[in-house]
Amino acid sequence: MLKVIFYIKSQKIDKDGLAPIFARISLRDKCITMATGKSISKKRWLFTNNLRNVLKMDKEKVIKEALEVFQLNLEKKFYELSKIDADISLEFLRDEIKGKTKVNEKPKSITILEVMGKHTDFFKRKVETGERAPGSFQKYNRAKDLLANFMKKQYNLDDIEATAIDSSFVYHLEEFLKYESSFNGKVGIKNNSVVKYIRVYKTACYYCMKMGLLDKNPFMVYDGKLKVTDAVFLTQAELTAIEEKIIFNERLQKST
């Protein structure tokens, strides 16, 4: 849980006798400090019990309200970021509040396997906390291996910049998965599994977009659909035969 405590730095009192107010922000076993941009005399800070007592001076009321807004913005930003990454750092939170992580700034270059790796690390934490099943984690690892095999066989590359992926890459990947990929001696993957694998790549890229590592999702061009097979229903004769068999077995159990 995020904890915020305000304090003054009395050693930095200015010529008007005012000390700057800082915020100490704690999360688990880590702690950082931030300047609030507000200041107050040491005497008034102590007299008002760090602005907790009932205030009569308008200036001090304004300062208190500003600190409350400061804390509210911190908690709101922390909540927004933690929905993207539960292991968000306090340093990143501080940069977000200060506006140092610019939305319009061009993201650093990142390869598609790095994208998969970052999302896999994030997904692993979900598995460890019981939010997702271990089987799903194995699927993400398998998807990464398939992607690496495709790039090696199709382009003779160990990796590729995520921003270099185009529709041709995506649909060649689909064909590779369907007709050329091999696992345990079996060649090719059925349509529904292929669609789900490419959705994994799309999800990983979307995660990196939210983390500011990508500015677009190269797999958004993919429009593959799951094929729904028609359900096969038992005939009345088959249902009757099953019912009679169950009743017959129950009678045998009772007689023994």
Side-chain angles (χ1 to χ4, degrees), residues 59-253:
K59 184 177 180 180
E60 291 173 359
K61 291 179 182 179
V62 170
I63 295 174
K64 182 178 180 180
E65 289 177 1
L67 296 182
E68 290 173 349
V69 170
F70 181 92
Q71 181 169 350
L72 181 63
N73 288 337
L74 266 175
E75 293 171 347
K76 181 180 178 182
K77 180 60 68 174
F78 174 75
Y79 175 71
E80 291 173 354
L81 295 173
S82 62
K83 287 195 295 183
I84 300 173
D85 186 352
D87 197 28
I88 192 71
S89 72
L90 289 176
E91 289 77 13
F92 187 80
L93 173 63
R94 178 170 57 193
D95 289 344
E96 280 283 310
I97 292 294
K98 289 183 175 181
K100 289 185 177 180
T101 54
K102 300 184 183 300
V103 175
N104 296 324
E105 184 178 322
K106 185 178 180 180
K108 294 180 179 179
S109 111
I110 183 171
T111 69
I112 189 59
L113 291 186
E114 287 174 338
V115 167
M116 294 301 297
K118 288 185 178 297
H119 185 263
T120 300
D121 291 342
F122 168 67
F123 198 87
K124 183 180 179 181
R125 290 197 293 268
K126 285 182 170 289
V127 174
E128 291 171 344
T129 56
E131 295 180 57
R132 298 300 298 268
S136 297
F137 180 66
Q138 292 176 358
K139 181 178 70 175
Y140 276 90
N141 280 327
R142 174 68 177 143
K144 183 179 178 181
D145 291 341
L146 286 168
L147 185 57
N149 291 340
F150 163 70
M151 289 188 293
K152 191 66 177 176
K153 291 182 179 180
Q154 184 73 25
Y155 302 104
N156 195 28
L157 294 173
D158 294 324
D159 207 348
I160 189 174
E161 297 290 333
T163 54
I165 294 176
D166 56 14
S167 61
S168 174
F169 180 100
V170 174
Y171 284 101
H172 274 107
L173 172 61
E174 180 190 42
E175 290 182 10
F176 171 81
L177 295 177
K178 282 185 176 181
Y179 309 119
E180 299 178 44
S181 64
S182 60
F183 183 68
N184 288 339
K186 184 178 179 181
V187 178
I189 301 173
K190 292 183 178 181
N191 176 80
N192 286 5
S193 293
V194 169
V195 172
K196 290 176 182 177
Y197 276 127
I198 296 183
R199 286 180 179 178
V200 166
Y201 306 137
K202 188 182 294 186
T203 299
C205 289
Y206 183 57
Y207 168 77
C208 285
M209 284 177 65
K210 291 191 290 186
M211 297 304 293
L213 301 172
L214 277 176
D215 58 0
K216 67 177 182 178
N217 193 327
F219 288 91
M220 287 301 294
V221 298
Y222 184 70
D223 58 359
K225 306 293 182 184
L226 295 174
K227 292 182 180 178
V228 181
T229 56
D230 295 332
V232 178
F233 298 96
L234 297 175
T235 64
Q236 185 58 50
E238 290 170 329
L239 289 171
T240 302
I242 293 172
E243 290 172 356
E244 289 176 351
K245 185 175 182 180
I246 293 173
I247 293 172
F248 181 69
N249 287 338
E250 287 180 349
R251 287 175 179 171
L252 284 176
Q253 290 174 0

Side-chain angles (χ1 to χ4, degrees), residues 22-39:
F22 278 73
R24 182 180 293 109
I25 307 158
S26 305
L27 180 65
R28 295 184 284 273
D29 59 340
K30 296 182 179 179
C31 178
I32 61 170
T33 61
M34 281 186 67
T36 65
K38 300 298 176 182
S39 56

